[in-house]
Each structure stands twice: as C-alpha cells, then as structure tokens.
Amino acid sequence: MSDQNALLSVRGLTLEVIHNGGAVVKDVSFDVSPGEIVGIVGESGSGKTLATRSIIGLIAPGIRHASGSIVYKGQDTLQAGDRTLRRLRGGEIGVVFQEPMTSLNPSMTIGRQLEEGLILHTKQTAEMRRTNILHMLTRVGLKDPAGALTAYPHEFSGGMRQRIMLASVMLLKPALLIADEPTTALDAVVQRDVMELMVELTKEQGTAVLLISHDLPMVARYTHRFVVMERGVVVEQGTTEEILSRPKHPYTRKLLSSLPFRGDVRAIDTNVSPIVSARDIVVDYPGRKSLFKKGAAKRALHGISIDIHPGEVVALVGGSGSGKTTLGRTIAGLVKETSGEVLFQGKRRDNDWFHYRMNCQMVFQDPYSSLDPRMTILSLVEEALRLIPSLTAAEKKQRAAETLEEVGLGEAFAGRYPHQLSGGQRQRVAIARAIARRPKFLIADEPVSALDVTVRAQVLDLFSNLQKRYGFSCLFISHDLGVVEQIADRVIVMQDGRIIEQGDRNAIFDAPKEAYTRKLLSAIPALDLNDSGGVKLKWRLDA
Amino acid sequence: MLMAVPTIVIVAVAVFTLIRLIPGDPAALMLGDLAEPQQIAALRSTLGLDQSIPMQFMIWVGHLFNGDFGKSIVTGEPVLHLVLSRFFISAQIVVLAVFIASIIAVPAGVIAAWKQNSLTDLALVGTATVLLSIPTFWLGLLLLLFFGLKLGWVPVLGYVSVTTDWKAGLIYMALPVATLFIHEMGVIIRMARASTLEVLRLDYITHARAKGLSEQAVLWRHAFKNAFGPTWTMIGLILGNLLGGIAVIETVFSIPGLGRLLVDSIFQRDYPVIQGCLLLVAVAYVLVNLVVDLLYPLFDPRVVAE
Amino acid sequence: MKKLTFNGVIGGTIITLLFIVAAIGMFWTPFDPMKLSFSARLAAPSGAHLLGTDEFGRDVLSRLMVGAQASVWIGFATVCFAVFFGTLIGLISGYARGWADGIIMAFNNALLAFPGILLALGLLAVFGANQYGIIFALGIAYTPSMARIVRGAVLSLREREFIEASKVMGNSEIYTILRHILPNCLAPITVLATSMFGWAILSESALSFLGLGVPPPAPTWGNMLAAGRPFIEQAAWLGFFPGLCIALTLLGINLLGDALRDKLDPRMRGLK
C-alpha cells in the first residue's frame, strides 16, 4: 500500500492518551521521498510534533501507539526493537528541535557533543572525527571552529547554537532530517539565514527534510509539498503551489486568511499637536556590579525622539536588542530614563503621574504572565477601574462586565480564573483591562506574538475594531512585520538602540531605504489574494 | 563568594552579642552564692567583664586573630584547642556518614527518577521518606538496643578515638555513623531524584535520545552530571547542618564531640567555650559552602567561579 | 477539584489523628500523667497500662497524650512566629531591593550560617530552657529560611508582567504588594510552613532530649525519650513509644508536605 519509492511512509498513524484512550493523532498518512522537503503545518495541539517524534520511536510519556505504521526504508519503526531504533536515530534520521537554548547539554563541550554521534554511528578514527567536525563547524558559519570544540553551549547566541545543532545532526549525513520549528525561537533575520543554511546543507548531502512549523509562509517558501494538520488529523495535503492557490479544506482557507494582509491607508491628521512625545530618551542599563568595581553601563537607547498623534497607530519594529521594548517600557514609566523626557498632551508626564496613568495603559506580550493567577476575570478588569473617582462600585462592576462582553468574553467567563482560559482568551482579558478606563493612549508590547496563527488574526481584528471605536493612539511594538503591515499607520525601525528609519507604512514596506529594513522585510511575504480563497506569496529580496 | 567574609564578620558579632545577652553574671555564678563582692569584682576584671561592651568585643576580636579564644571557665583549658579536638571527633563521624550516604543515595535517586512512577521508584521514595522521618536520636537508641544490648556486637557506653586505637575506634564509630547514614540516605535520595526529574524533562535529553544514544548513556552521561549540581549544594548544606545538629547523636552514644561540649558548656555557663563552639561551627559551615560553590562549576560550566 | 493523592491522604490522616489525640489529652487521659505510683514502676505494657509505665510509675500513654499537646503547641507557635516575621522581612527585602535588601540579606545569610538547632541552642542559653524559650529560639532560628523563600518568590514575581500591569494601572506599591504579591507567595509559604512544623517538633524533642527543652516533670516526647535512655535495658518501651510518636508525626508531615508541593508548585501545575 505504501509508496515503494518513498524514503518514509506514514500510514494511518493513530496515537492515543493512555489513561483515557482519547486520540491525539488520528489516521495520519503521508510520504517523504529521498531528497525532498516536505512540510507539516499546524497550530498548537495539531499533533504535528507528536506524530513526527514517533517516527524515531520517541513517543511522549502518557501517549501510546494505537494503530498505523511508519515505514522507513522498508522497515516499520513502530515494530522495530530498541537496537534498530538507536541505529536509525541520529545515524539515518536526524532531528533539530525548536529551542536552541535548551537542546544542547550545558555541561558538555561542543566538541564532545558533536563527537558523540560520530563515535556511535561511524567507525572514524579520532583524527578523522576532528577533521570532519571542524569542517562541518566551518560550513555552518562558526568563526572559530577549533575554539568551539572546547567551548560550552552557553557561550553562544541562540542563532549560533541552532547552527551547531544543525552541524551535529548533518555531520552524520542522515537520509532524513526532522526539523521541528527549527527557527521559531530566533530573530526574523537570523531565522532566514538558518533556514537557508539548512536547505543548502541538506541539498548538498541529498537529505530529505520534514519541516514542521506553524509558520505557513515559511513552510511554503522552502517546501515542494506540505501537509496541513488540525487537532490530530491531516485535513489537506498536496503540492505547495496547489494548496496555496486552491485550498480545499475550510481549515486551510482559514489559515491562509489568517495571514496578515496590508490594512487600509487611514487619514491621520499629523498637523495637530502629538498626544505623546518622547524627547531625546537615553536609557543606560547599569553594568553588573561586583564588590570592587562597577561594570560599564550599557546604553540601551541613544537619545530617541518620537511623536504619536491622536488616533494614530505607530509600530516600533526591530530585532531583539534593538531597544524597541525598552523604549515602550520607558514611555510606560516602567523603566526610568537616564535623560530625556516624555510629554503627554504637551505637558511633562512626570508632573502629573495620576493623569498619565488614567490615560495611558499597556498590553503585555505574555498572556500567561500578565494576569494575576489568583484573581477572577471580572475582578481583573474591575481592578483597572479601581482608581477612577467618578464611578460608583456598581458602575465599575457594570463597566467591567460590559468591557468583557466587548472583547467577546460573555458573562460565563466573569468568574473564571486565568488558568482556565486559552492564550487568546487571556489576551482578550488583558485588552479588556487596558481599555476599560478608556485610555487615550495604549502601549502594546508584542501583544499577539505568543498566539497561534488563527487566534492571532482574531485578536488583531478585535484590537483594530476597538481602536476604531475608541480612537485611542497606540504604540505597537512587534518583531513581526506581517502584523505591523496589517495594523500600523506609521512604522519606526530600530536597531541597536537607535531609530534607523521611519515613515508611513506603505513607504516603509514598498520602498525601504535602509539595508536592515530590507533584510527584515525579506523575511515576510507580500500576499495576493485570489478568488478561490488562495494566496500568492511574493518574497521581497534584500539584495 | 565574597559574601563569605561579611557573613563571618556578622557571625562573630552575633555570637558575641548572644553571649552578652545571657542573663546573670558569670563571675558570680562561678564563685557560687557564698562569694564576697570583692572576689566577684576581681574575677570580673580577670575575665575582662568590667570593660564596656564594644571594648570587650574589640579585645575579643583582637584575641581571636592571635588564635586566643580564651580559656574554659570550668576547666581552664584553652578554648581553641578544646573546641578543635572535639570538632575533629564530630567531623569524622559526619563526613564519613555523609560520604557513604551520598555514594549510595545519589545513584539510587537517579534511578528512581529514571523509572519515575514505577514500583522501583515508589519503593525508593517511600523508603527515603520513612528514613528521613525517623529522628536520629531515636534511631540511634534502637540501633544501640539491637546491636549493643541484644547482639552485643558493639559496646554500649564509652568512647575510644581512632587515633589511639583505630580498630576499637572504628567499632565505637560504627553505630553513630550508621545512624546518620541511614537518616541522610533519605534526604539525599529524594533530592537526587527531584533534580534528576527536572533534568530529564529538558530538550537536550530528548535530543541525546534522538542521536541514538542508549538509555544508560543518556542517563549517566547527559542527565547525571547536570542533575548533580543541586544535589551537590544540598550535600554541602547537610554537612554543615549536621556539624551543628550532632549533639543528640553524641548524647545517645556518649561521644565526647563538639555538640556534647556545647550542650555541657551551656549547662555550666562556660561562656568562652560556648562562643568558641558557635563560632567554629558557623565558620565551618560558611567554609564548607564556599568549597561547594567553588567546585560547582565542575558540574555546571554556566556557573563561573568568581 | 483534583483527586487526592495517596501521600496527601496518609499524611493528612496521621496529622489529623495527632491533633485529635492532643485535643483529647486536654480533657481526658487514662491516668493522671503526673501521678507517681511506686508500686507500678517500670511496668511493661499490659491491659492496665497499654504502653506501660515509667520509672516513677506514671502511665506512658497518658503522658504521650499530654506530650502531643506540647509538640503541637510548640510547633504551631514556632511556625506562626517564623511565618509572620519571615514573610514581613522577605516582602520588604524583595520589594525594596537595593541597599536595604543587601543589608537585610547579609544578616539573614549570617543567621542561616548557623545550623538551625545550633542557633536555637545558643538562643536557649539566653531565653532559658522552657517552652516559651523554645518557641522564641526556634522561631528566630527558622525566620531566615522563611525570609529567604519569600524574598525569592517576590523577586521572581516582580519580573512577572502582572506586577508591571499593576504599576501601569497606577496602583500604589503597598496595594500591589498586598493584592498581587502576597497572595501569590502563599503557595511557597504554605509548603515551607508545613515542613517547619515538622522541624519544630523534631527540634523541640531533640532539645528536650538534651535536657534543654521543656523541663520535667511536664511530659514532652523529647524529655520522655531522654528519661527512658538510662532504662533502655530494663524498659525499652520507655524510649520506644515517644520516638515512634515523633517518627510517625514527621512521616505524616513529610507526606503532607510532598502532596502540597505537588499541588501548589507552579512548575508541576504546567504539566497537568
């Protein structure tokens, strides 16, 4: 029944939870041919990771194989013994995980970790192993391969660690590489470099790749074919071209329509005086103090000035370490500026904190951390109204309930606790809390980056609807340019604590001037909708 | 790491203050209720008790730096010598017990974690919890009752140092060491299990499996070293704690160790000896933890010794 | 409601029994625990004296029941002392940071450098060997551990975004501490307080065993065990039963502590 030419052939794979028998992966079938790149796209809970880990017999504790087969080079790995599996693992099938920060053993040198696989799967001499390792480390772009051999993982950045992971896996020349969200934890720019490296390396060695990701455009960019999974089931599979242009399943269409599209151009009056201005903001982080000497201070922001006009959504973009979050937190008053000042409605913010707090609110990135776990949803929103003198207790309660209703959380949610809610629902609560006071200005720090693709689209919609209804100004901090393209009126690009480029959204997206901006943009596609619910992805080149 | 110095300074101040807080005049106590006021005054001046408190502290610290910890009010022996000789007796019991316990308990804890929720795990954790719940002084009595009185294998009273007669000394040490060993087994098994469980959840363990390593290699080469760090710190704390808490064991087995010395000195209000004991144990505790911290980078290169 | 764990049930049962026995002991015991009876000296366990009698002919069971009160009371009072002061110091230290935190923690670490029972021994020399002396001594000895745990919890909570959200809402620091930080510290405080209850009972009996605890003739498990020590050959039950009581109580507390930790530890919660 399985394809004779396939390298890997998964048929009717079903995995279930041991204690209640519920299926987490249902009747999943797909093939991977030698040298081919196949994608698996799905959101959290789609079972994509469970399904792919079981290929090498790493079934999560509490889960068991119920039916179906996984045939690799004619051998069913689900029936194979430990010895066979161990020979396949690493030697034939390599795996790269999402988290480069935790995928390498912190107490073992890079050299030993790389050598371990070679000792296990090859008969190379120590000399050959060293040569091969050095060659591979050079190949993945490490500047000092010989030095890396005796270094420990914590001495490298996330991007470098992912390159080392890739080196450790590709060193064994596997026939199949399972890459599970290999670049999700990395900065957009680094993400693309690592992906390109992975594609090149596997092409050189003729390795087939199973690329697992929630990021549909990324998968589409590098694969010939892909599989869409939803809640443990394969809902659609086919060639990349086909699925993108003519999606058949409603879920695939939903995924595609959840991709951020460019929003309309709105008329913002920039001739009126700005509601919030930051003037020459400098922030130094103190160096690490020890008993005898004070480490040199690190300058996070080098004299930043920005204006935000009434009703305007200004996006702050940049990679990690660009200072965008520090700027947002400084304007919010969570970080004390070393020099410079923040003006609100033309007056110094520091002169009237109460007035500023009543009118400036914030939405945080992590909905798991931004809500007090010991408070109910209603009391969380009500708390935001606590300090408003003009409202009675009853009015506060009613306003809180109305606001919850407004963000799509009806009465049923009022008495629940944050841990009983999904990530998207929590972020709705956080938004409700922020807008309950009817602030004139909102700072949103990566408000949707922790959310799944479809949920992200819904929360973004909610956000822009509320923005239109209440007309608050917004500083929207994001590393995701797709989201920014959809929501922002104006874009400010930051790098290393400085503003390097700013302008209207269309100007920045269509005619970026700086190389860094072009590089950021090259990581996201421009989308063209077609009539059948499909899209065409256009990648911008950073050349 | 540099915290060790201020800690020891504060410890010295605390010990000094503590002793001054004790109600009653030691000179009067020493001379009994028939003493003349002149006699008391004379003794106060020999003991330096007639100086102001800060002055007394300065004099005391000055003496400490010269290795002069004073003399026992009761026996007249130099405190430093007395305390150090007793400390040696306590330390050999504690170190030996913790050493043997660690050798057995750490692997046991790792195995329990590896077989989490299996019968082996339940048995190991259950045993460990029971062992750690048994008070050492009771366990000591039971062992004494069984091995000393019932079987007659070891003497019930008395003490011989290993330095005078190592064979006899070892026999006298056997039961106290066994008592502590059994108790600490419980503590260390649970600690080693908990830290191994933490590590086994991490990605690099899955990655080590995905490389094709055998379970043994995954467990001992990848998990063990990373899990050992917290356990190592714990063992340091246990060592320090036992040095202070060994008094009960020494009472059960009538061993003339540091703990017994401290308790006796408290009964006799022998200030200089109480001071010496407290100071020595606190300093030993700080030093043990300093050594533990200094060696920690061996298990976890992320922690760099400063 | 999550289902009760085996550990929790066993531990809870043992501790409940302890409280019940201690409570009954306040009103009724089989014999007067202080009544001397030279005719019944060192009587082995029998129908009349279920757990035998001691060297003065006093009923061991009755004395154990009264001793349970001492253990529960001293354990409880010590824990209250350490929880109150430890939480206060930990909250201030963790929230203030800076030099205030530095000084508080330097003292805290110095106190932690004394093994708990050693510090208690030193303090007992000051306070005198009686139950209040023990409560103060152990309370002071345990406060630094509680302070350290609370401070750690506060420091990690401070990094959480909901504390920043409270600041952005314009809430005062006192309000933030009481409304958001303290309630979220309750889990680690509860877990540690449970262990401390066990430490206190153990330390009390150890101190009494050394002759530095509650003075006889008032019975505590520790001084009964110490008094039984010379009679270990003739009357092994004198040392056996008090020790068994202590061991069972500690086992109960340890099991309960494990169950609480599994239930309250946020790292474990994420896995469910």
Side-chain angles (χ1 to χ4, degrees):
Chain A
M1 192 165 109
S2 67
D3 182 348
Q4 289 307 307
N5 300 322
L7 178 67
L8 175 78
S9 181
V10 177
R11 284 292 170 275
L13 179 67
T14 301
L15 302 174
E16 59 186 31
V17 180
I18 291 173
H19 79 92
N20 64 14
V24 279
V25 168
K26 270 173 282 190
D27 196 20
V28 165
S29 304
F30 60 88
D31 292 311
V32 180
S33 304
E36 184 190 30
I37 302 184
V38 175
I40 297 187
V41 175
E43 296 181 284
S44 50
S46 62
K48 57 190 194 299
T49 293
L50 286 174
T52 45
R53 295 235 170 138
S54 63
I55 294 171
I56 49 170
L58 291 178
I59 298 178
I63 306 280
R64 84 175 150 225
H65 167 237
S67 61
S69 65
I70 298 176
V71 177
Y72 173 82
K73 287 192 177 166
Q75 183 167 31
D76 190 339
T77 65
L78 288 169
Q79 309 301 329
D82 260 0
R83 189 178 286 266
T84 318
L85 275 178
R86 286 211 298 273
R87 190 180 51 75
L88 292 182
R89 288 177 194 162
E92 289 273 343
I93 306 176
V95 188
V96 176
F97 294 141
Q98 170 174 2
E99 260 317 322
M101 302 316 266
T102 57
S103 295
L104 291 163
N105 184 341
S107 71
M108 209 187 252
T109 59
I110 300 297
R112 280 199 59 202
Q113 295 193 50
L114 261 59
E115 200 179 17
E116 211 175 31
L118 286 177
I119 295 175
L120 201 65
H121 296 289
T122 68
K123 293 196 175 65
Q124 296 176 6
T125 61
E127 197 48 46
M128 284 160 76
R129 290 199 295 265
R130 194 182 147 83
T131 318
N132 285 335
I133 290 172
L134 285 176
H135 176 254
M136 183 50 85
L137 286 177
T138 316
R139 180 68 191 81
V140 298
L142 258 68
K143 289 191 188 74
D144 177 17
L149 290 184
T150 52
Y152 288 96
H154 69 273
E155 297 167 44
F156 296 92
S157 69
M160 279 302 152
R161 288 193 211 186
Q162 204 62 318
R163 286 164 190 265
I164 293 168
M165 277 293 292
L166 203 55
S168 116
V169 171
M170 295 310 289
L171 203 50
L172 297 165
K173 304 198 179 351
L176 175 65
L177 173 67
I178 298 175
D180 192 351
E181 303 271 12
T183 60
T184 307
L186 307 176
D187 250 6
V189 175
V190 182
Q191 231 175 59
R192 227 196 76 209
D193 292 345
V194 171
M195 272 310 295
E196 310 261 281
L197 175 67
M198 193 177 100
V199 171
E200 269 174 47
L201 268 177
T202 48
K203 196 178 260 173
E204 275 169 28
Q205 302 193 354
T207 304
V209 182
L210 193 54
L211 177 63
I212 298 130
S213 180
H214 69 285
D215 186 347
L216 199 153
M218 195 269 275
V219 169
R221 186 174 201 171
Y222 297 105
T223 58
H224 316 141
R225 278 188 314 119
F226 72 87
V227 176
V228 182
M229 284 184 73
E230 185 202 11
R231 280 189 235 126
V233 178
V234 171
V235 295
E236 183 160 4
Q237 59 178 310
T239 65
T240 304
E241 174 65 36
E242 213 173 80
I243 299 182
L244 283 188
S245 55
R246 285 180 302 280
K248 290 187 202 76
H249 195 274
Y251 179 73
T252 315
R253 274 192 222 119
K254 187 173 166 195
L255 269 184
L256 287 172
S257 66
S258 297
L259 295 176
F261 287 85
R262 180 173 297 192
D264 303 328
V265 176
R266 306 190 305 168
I268 302 292
D269 187 359
T270 51
N271 293 320
V272 297
S273 57
I275 182 159
V276 176
S277 306
R279 292 273 162 270
D280 303 315
I281 301 281
V282 173
V283 171
D284 288 339
Y285 282 127
R288 260 186 68 188
K289 260 186 283 182
S290 73
L291 202 62
F292 300 116
K293 57 170 192 284
K294 201 169 176 179
K298 191 177 174 295
R299 182 147 291 190
L301 295 176
H302 300 259
I304 303 281
S305 298
I306 64 170
D307 287 329
I308 297 158
H309 297 93
E312 187 182 32
V313 177
V314 177
L316 214 48
V317 302
S320 58
S322 63
K324 60 185 193 304
T325 293
T326 305
L327 181 58
R329 291 163 54 84
T330 308
I331 294 175
L334 291 171
V335 172
K336 182 89 191 84
E337 60 276 6
T338 309
S339 67
E341 61 179 4
V342 176
L343 304 177
F344 180 67
Q345 295 175 328
K347 296 188 200 75
R348 289 195 60 208
R349 172 194 65 177
D350 296 18
N351 291 345
D352 190 353
W353 273 105
F354 184 77
H355 179 65
Y356 185 66
R357 291 290 186 220
M358 295 314 279
N359 286 293
C360 159
Q361 283 302 298
M362 186 157 178
V363 178
F364 295 88
Q365 168 173 10
D366 180 3
Y368 290 84
S369 157
S370 66
L371 304 177
D372 187 338
R374 293 190 169 263
M375 288 171 75
T376 63
I377 304 312
L378 185 66
S379 53
L380 279 164
V381 180
E382 225 181 311
E383 193 194 7
L385 304 168
R386 189 176 76 95
L387 293 172
I388 299 182
S390 60
L391 292 177
T392 66
E395 284 169 341
K396 285 176 186 172
K397 187 156 247 148
Q398 196 189 347
R399 165 92 72 96
E402 283 168 10
T403 313
L404 275 175
E405 194 78 44
E406 225 171 340
V407 298
L409 299 174
E411 237 173 282
F413 286 90
R416 293 192 197 168
Y417 287 90
H419 71 267
Q420 295 167 306
L421 268 54
S422 69
Q425 287 166 341
R426 289 179 202 216
Q427 206 57 317
R428 285 168 190 263
V429 176
I431 291 173
R433 176 175 65 184
I435 62 157
R437 269 184 194 180
R438 311 280 183 263
K440 296 193 170 65
F441 174 52
L442 196 67
I443 299 168
D445 187 2
E446 304 269 10
V448 292
S449 58
L451 305 177
D452 261 337
V453 184
T454 51
V455 179
R456 172 187 306 182
Q458 291 157 5
V459 173
L460 268 185
D461 274 347
L462 170 72
F463 186 84
S464 25
N465 289 338
L466 290 170
Q467 199 272 335
K468 273 172 204 133
R469 186 174 322 155
Y470 294 111
F472 51 78
S473 312
C474 179
L475 183 64
F476 192 97
I477 301 161
S478 181
H479 71 279
D480 182 343
L481 276 96
V483 169
V484 168
E485 184 171 17
Q486 175 167 345
I487 205 160
D489 299 310
R490 198 149 57 82
V491 179
I492 299 176
V493 185
M494 288 185 69
Q495 188 186 18
D496 296 331
R498 292 189 172 82
I499 292 176
I500 57 163
E501 184 167 7
Q502 58 179 313
D504 289 340
R505 180 202 50 209
N506 287 5
I508 294 282
F509 275 79
D510 295 336
K513 292 186 190 70
E514 295 294 318
Y516 181 70
T517 313
R518 282 200 293 273
K519 191 145 193 185
L520 281 178
L521 284 170
S522 71
I524 58 147
L527 305 177
D528 270 344
L529 260 183
N530 68 21
D531 298 335
S532 47
V535 291
K536 192 163 168 50
L537 306 177
K538 281 191 304 208
W539 296 92
R540 299 169 247 233
L541 297 174
D542 57 316
Chain B
M1 220 131 288
L2 285 164
M3 279 311 286
V5 177
T7 303
I8 289 178
V9 171
I10 297 174
V11 161
V13 175
V15 167
F16 180 81
T17 319
L18 192 67
I19 299 303
R20 303 300 124 164
L21 287 174
I22 298 178
D25 181 352
L29 274 166
M30 281 170 65
L31 295 171
D33 43 355
L34 292 175
E36 300 291 328
Q38 293 95 315
Q39 282 178 291
I40 297 178
L43 184 64
R44 283 178 63 86
S45 122
T46 8
L47 293 175
L49 294 172
D50 51 351
Q51 309 274 356
S52 70
I53 296 279
M55 199 56 210
Q56 286 184 31
F57 180 69
M58 296 311 290
I59 293 172
W60 181 63
V61 171
H63 286 161
L64 288 187
F65 274 108
N66 291 322
D68 177 8
F69 282 56
K71 285 193 172 63
S72 162
I73 295 178
V74 178
T75 63
E77 268 183 275
V79 169
L80 187 62
H81 177 259
L82 182 64
V83 168
L84 279 180
S85 64
R86 301 294 192 92
F87 176 77
F88 174 70
I89 295 174
S90 303
Q92 62 191 19
I93 295 174
V94 167
V95 170
L96 199 59
V98 172
F99 181 72
I100 305 176
S102 308
I103 287 182
I104 301 178
V106 171
V110 172
I111 288 172
W114 181 44
K115 301 254 174 200
Q116 196 192 1
N117 295 333
S118 72
L119 220 57
T120 319
D121 179 32
L122 286 180
L124 279 170
V125 173
T127 314
T129 310
V130 170
L131 290 186
L132 123 134
S133 304
I134 300 176
T136 47
F137 46 91
W138 186 55
L139 181 63
L141 272 182
L142 294 183
L143 291 181
L144 201 59
L145 189 64
F146 190 70
F147 292 102
L149 294 172
K150 250 215 159 82
L151 300 176
W153 288 1
V154 287
V156 177
L157 282 173
Y159 174 77
V160 175
S161 163
V162 276
T163 45
T164 43
D165 177 352
W166 68 269
K167 260 190 194 161
L170 279 184
I171 290 176
Y172 277 101
M173 267 174 68
L175 282 191
V177 168
T179 308
L180 281 183
F181 154 77
I182 292 175
H183 183 77
E184 296 314 324
M185 279 269 286
V187 178
I188 299 173
I189 287 180
R190 283 163 52 105
M191 183 66 203
R193 175 180 181 269
S195 48
T196 309
L197 279 180
E198 287 278 286
V199 169
L200 285 178
R201 292 204 324 247
L202 297 176
D203 280 352
Y204 62 80
I205 296 298
T206 319
H207 188 247
R209 290 199 175 111
K211 256 186 200 174
L213 293 178
S214 66
E215 278 299 300
Q216 275 74 13
V218 170
L219 192 64
W220 299 111
R221 205 183 306 160
H222 287 272
F224 179 67
K225 200 173 164 194
N226 291 293
F228 192 63
T231 313
W232 172 246
T233 305
M234 182 76 183
I235 290 174
L237 290 176
I238 288 175
L239 265 179
N241 260 316
L242 280 183
L243 283 176
I246 196 177
V248 280
I249 297 280
E250 290 169 358
T251 305
V252 171
F253 295 104
S254 41
I255 297 164
L258 186 73
R260 200 54 236 176
L261 177 67
L262 175 63
V263 173
D264 290 340
S265 308
I266 292 177
F267 280 129
Q268 296 161 341
R269 303 213 167 206
D270 196 344
Y271 289 7
V273 180
I274 301 178
Q275 271 178 346
C277 290
L278 291 177
L279 202 57
L280 183 73
V281 173
V283 169
Y285 189 80
V286 172
L287 290 182
V288 165
N289 283 303
L290 185 65
V291 171
V292 165
D293 285 352
L294 285 173
L295 292 178
Y296 200 94
L298 288 179
F299 310 113
D300 191 344
R302 283 172 297 184
V303 180
V304 182
E306 277 173 33
Chain C
M1 222 35 223
K2 241 174 292 172
K3 70 171 192 247
L4 294 164
T5 59
F6 177 77
N7 281 355
V9 172
I10 301 281
T13 312
I14 294 177
I15 299 308
T16 313
L17 273 177
L18 170 73
F19 285 145
I20 292 174
V21 168
I24 294 177
M26 293 171 80
F27 308 105
W28 176 85
T29 49
F31 292 86
D32 180 348
M34 310 296 266
K35 189 165 176 278
L36 311 183
S37 158
F38 289 91
S39 57
R41 289 178 65 218
L42 297 178
S46 66
H49 295 279
L50 281 179
L51 302 180
T53 63
D54 67 6
E55 73 274 24
F56 298 113
R58 296 174 296 197
D59 180 53
V60 171
L61 176 61
S62 305
R63 289 178 67 77
L64 284 176
M65 287 171 74
V66 176
Q69 276 172 46
S71 290
V72 169
W73 156 242
I74 289 175
F76 190 71
T78 303
V79 169
C80 287
F81 185 103
V83 166
F84 181 79
F85 288 102
T87 306
L88 194 66
I89 295 171
L91 281 178
I92 293 173
S93 189
Y95 206 84
R97 295 199 281 199
W99 60 268
D101 178 38
I103 290 175
I104 294 175
M105 277 304 121
F107 273 94
N108 213 55
N109 288 337
L111 285 182
L112 281 170
F114 293 96
I117 188 134
L118 186 76
L119 185 56
L121 274 177
L123 290 166
L124 270 181
V126 178
F127 295 127
N130 56 56
Q131 58 167 316
Y132 295 102
I134 292 186
I135 290 168
F136 279 117
L138 292 178
I140 292 175
Y142 295 162
T143 299
S145 317
M146 185 56 88
R148 188 167 65 169
I149 292 284
V150 173
R151 174 175 174 270
V154 172
L155 287 182
S156 80
L157 282 171
R158 286 188 65 122
E159 305 299 315
R160 301 276 295 272
E161 288 173 343
F162 69 85
I163 299 301
E164 301 195 316
S166 177
K167 191 171 180 187
V168 170
M169 274 185 252
N171 293 324
S172 68
E173 306 222 322
I174 296 287
Y175 174 88
T176 306
I177 291 177
L178 294 181
R179 185 79 181 88
H180 296 294
I181 291 187
L182 188 57
N184 283 290
C185 289
L186 286 180
I189 292 176
T190 312
V191 171
L192 184 61
T194 310
S195 307
M196 272 185 181
F197 187 64
W199 302 349
I201 288 179
L202 179 65
S203 298
E204 180 275 320
S205 45
L207 290 171
S208 297
F209 179 75
L210 292 173
L212 289 165
V214 179
T220 72
W221 293 345
N223 69 23
M224 289 172 71
L225 186 51
R229 163 92 171 86
F231 303 96
I232 183 171
E233 256 173 291
Q234 306 103 293
W237 63 87
L238 281 187
F240 183 76
F241 291 117
L244 186 65
C245 288
I246 302 170
L248 277 177
T249 305
L250 291 180
L251 182 63
I253 292 170
N254 285 330
L255 290 173
L256 197 63
D258 288 353
L260 275 176
R261 189 167 301 129
D262 287 350
K263 201 176 163 69
L264 297 178
D265 191 335
R267 274 182 302 188
M268 304 298 286
R269 198 188 289 157
L271 294 175
K272 297 274 155 68

